[in-house]
Amino acid sequence: MRQERSDVVIIGAGPAGAVAAGLLRRAGRAVTILEKETFPRFIIGESLLPQCMEYIEAAGMLRDVVEAGFQFKNGAAFACGDNRAHFDFRKKFSEGWGTTYQVQRGPFDKVLADAASRMGADLRYCHEVTAVEFEGEKPVVTVRSADGETYQLEGRFLLDASGYGRVLPRLLDWELPSMLPVRQAIFTHIEDRIAQNPAGAFDRDKILISVPPDETDVWFWLIPFSNGRSSLGVVGRREQFDSRDNKEQLLERVARTPNLAKLLKNAVWDTPVRSIVGYSANVKALYGRNFALLGNTTEFLDPVFSSGVTIAFKSSDLAVKALLKQLDGEKVDWDEEYAKPLMVGVETFRAFVTSWYDRRLQDIIFHPGKSEEIEQMISSILAGYAWDEKNPFVAKPSRRLASVQAACEMV
């Protein structure tokens, strides 16, 4: 069997893998990326958060993204019945980017992967990892190429950025059930024709989160793109959906949600409607000897605050900083330098997800009397700055959310 070597082997060419490759290439390290699929491919998770821009810039990919022509994004809008709220991410508590993009993930992921390749990463599409060995000094992956050839690739370190594929967690039996309830998402892309629809005001520079007045634990996303199209999806508990056709259920739920029904009355439904159930995931550990898990391979919470790509980028940034030290011969405490820092933001987002579904956060968001300071702190989290421990909503997120919600009830 053919044997190859690289400094770092990365499984998966999605956002986490591409940014990790860019960071490593800027440091002069040899990188091989193994991607099971070909790009572009359809995937959801299209609304980026401003915090993402810091890592795109650090990886040397900012110009690639800016020049791709994606939809500008400066905030998030919320609607429930007659209640409306919006957050401008440029008016936030934390320092850093206040704007970003809403992207069709197929083209976006390919932009990042192409940038990694441009920077010198050896990117191999249709190369599937079938086995991994950690018995020796260096990890060895067994790979099946597009033409059916099997070969082995040895790296000084292995990064698993396989996302929903979760290659190492499956091979190592590291998967754990999520602590979050099982939910289902039904989604599609549409030609939205909102510009020709004067029935409802709509800001294409913001993601719109809509909540049906009679089902506050169900919510819709509407993410506009730069080409007159949008991503549309609905999320709820698995038992809130049935066995009917996905499109039929999504159409019916949109019709029962007044603000969306007005906005989308002229929409063209020209893309298959898909569904995913039980997408939240967890793992036993985030790293092992000479390997680490990145992005959705570690843990996926919920799409409500678009945290997935941000967590992916943050994991790449932290892991590569630790990895470069290790490759230079320094001793690295992966728990203190990778796992614990990453989980600060994950736990912040988890608290926000939990409080969204139990309505505490909805009460705060839609409360007309919330202070400017509170709004800026919440805006920072919604913009992705879930690691800024100067923000009280990061330092003690659950306690802070509970106290603010209680204060809202008293006003």
Side-chain angles (χ1 to χ4, degrees):
M1 186 183 300
R2 178 162 56 90
Q3 309 285 323
E4 297 186 28
R5 290 179 175 82
S6 183
D7 280 345
V8 182
V9 177
I10 299 176
I11 306 174
V19 163
L23 293 168
L24 287 163
R25 286 301 303 145
R26 295 193 100 179
R29 297 296 177 175
V31 179
T32 302
I33 308 174
L34 304 170
E35 171 54 54
K36 180 180 178 180
E37 300 184 38
T38 57
F39 285 12
R41 83 290 193 231
F42 183 90
I43 188 171
I44 54 172
E46 302 103 337
S47 195
L48 304 183
L49 304 182
Q51 172 77 90
C52 293
M53 303 303 289
E54 174 185 335
Y55 307 118
I56 292 171
E57 186 173 21
M61 300 174 176
L62 182 60
R63 180 174 176 179
D64 302 85
V65 171
V66 169
E67 292 185 351
F70 296 117
Q71 171 66 47
F72 176 79
K73 175 185 175 184
N74 62 21
F78 297 84
C80 180
D82 294 330
N83 294 320
R84 298 288 187 275
H86 75 273
F87 290 84
D88 187 332
F89 292 158
R90 295 164 296 186
K91 301 175 182 178
K92 63 186 188 316
F93 176 85
S94 303
E95 292 295 324
W97 285 78
T99 62
T100 186
Y101 297 100
Q102 299 184 142
V103 301
Q104 288 168 299
R105 282 287 303 279
F108 175 74
D109 288 10
K110 190 170 189 307
V111 165
L112 297 184
D114 286 349
S117 182
R118 168 181 59 77
M119 297 170 70
D122 180 2
L123 172 56
R124 305 178 184 183
Y125 287 118
C126 297
H127 283 238
E128 180 182 4
V129 173
T130 59
V132 183
E133 299 173 14
F134 293 105
E135 289 78 11
E137 186 65 26
K138 300 175 182 178
V140 178
V141 297
T142 302
V143 187
R144 183 170 55 242
S145 67
D147 58 10
E149 179 194 11
T150 297
Y151 64 95
Q152 288 189 323
L153 179 59
E154 178 187 85
R156 297 174 63 186
F157 203 90
L158 176 62
L159 294 172
D160 185 357
S162 58
Y164 295 122
R166 301 170 66 76
V167 171
L168 286 186
R170 294 181 191 278
L171 291 175
L172 298 174
D173 193 26
W174 275 19
E175 291 191 292
L176 291 175
S178 172
M179 293 181 285
L180 298 171
V182 176
R183 294 192 172 91
Q184 180 173 352
I186 300 177
F187 52 90
T188 189
H189 285 183
I190 58 174
E191 181 185 340
D192 59 63
R193 296 195 177 182
I194 294 175
Q196 294 90 351
N197 178 8
F202 183 59
D203 185 352
R204 297 194 76 89
D205 294 344
K206 294 178 175 63
I207 181 177
L208 174 62
I209 302 296
S210 299
V211 181
D214 59 340
E215 272 186 310
T216 54
D217 58 346
V218 171
W219 61 276
F220 294 84
W221 75 72
L222 182 63
I223 303 170
F225 302 132
S226 59
N227 58 358
R229 299 183 64 78
S230 286
S231 174
L232 171 68
V234 63
V235 175
R237 298 189 313 278
R238 180 167 54 183
E239 59 268 25
Q240 291 172 302
F241 299 100
D242 54 44
S243 60
R244 287 177 298 157
D245 175 75
N246 289 329
K247 183 176 180 179
E248 181 182 352
Q249 294 191 72
L250 185 54
L251 279 167
E252 179 187 75
R253 286 188 170 275
V254 167
R256 287 163 41 195
T257 308
N259 70 304
L260 285 180
K262 290 178 182 179
L263 284 175
L264 301 178
K265 70 175 186 179
N266 295 324
V268 178
W269 295 63
D270 55 5
T271 303
V273 180
R274 298 170 168 86
S275 176
I276 183 172
V277 180
Y279 43 74
S280 299
N282 206 344
V283 289
K284 294 178 181 178
L286 303 185
Y287 66 92
R289 189 171 69 90
N290 293 329
F291 72 91
L293 311 181
L294 304 181
N296 290 347
T297 312
T298 62
E299 182 169 5
F300 183 75
L301 296 172
D302 191 273
V304 64
F305 298 120
S306 307
S307 61
V309 175
T310 305
I311 293 173
F313 285 160
K314 182 68 175 183
S315 69
S316 297
D317 180 67
L318 288 170
V320 169
K321 285 176 179 174
L323 174 54
L324 289 174
K325 290 173 59 178
Q326 181 167 311
L327 293 176
D328 285 338
E330 297 182 47
K331 186 175 181 180
V332 174
D333 184 333
W334 279 86
D335 202 45
E336 293 296 326
E337 297 182 50
Y338 178 60
K340 288 182 179 178
L342 179 61
M343 291 307 295
V344 168
V346 172
E347 293 302 334
T348 301
F349 280 125
R350 192 195 312 280
F352 269 60
V353 168
T354 300
S355 64
W356 169 266
Y357 284 107
D358 67 21
R359 291 194 59 182
R360 286 178 296 159
L361 185 55
Q362 292 188 43
D363 288 346
I364 296 170
I365 286 174
F366 290 117
H367 196 279
K370 58 182 176 293
S371 71
E372 182 178 347
E373 181 184 33
I374 293 297
E375 188 163 313
Q376 289 177 350
M377 290 177 181
I378 293 175
S379 186
S380 283
I381 306 302
L382 300 181
Y385 293 91
W387 289 267
D388 179 8
E389 295 185 82
K390 296 178 183 177
N391 187 342
F393 283 93
V394 174
K396 297 179 179 179
S398 295
R399 182 182 301 179
R400 185 68 175 179
L401 285 163
S403 64
V404 172
Q405 191 265 349
C408 287
E409 287 185 340
M410 298 173 62
V411 176

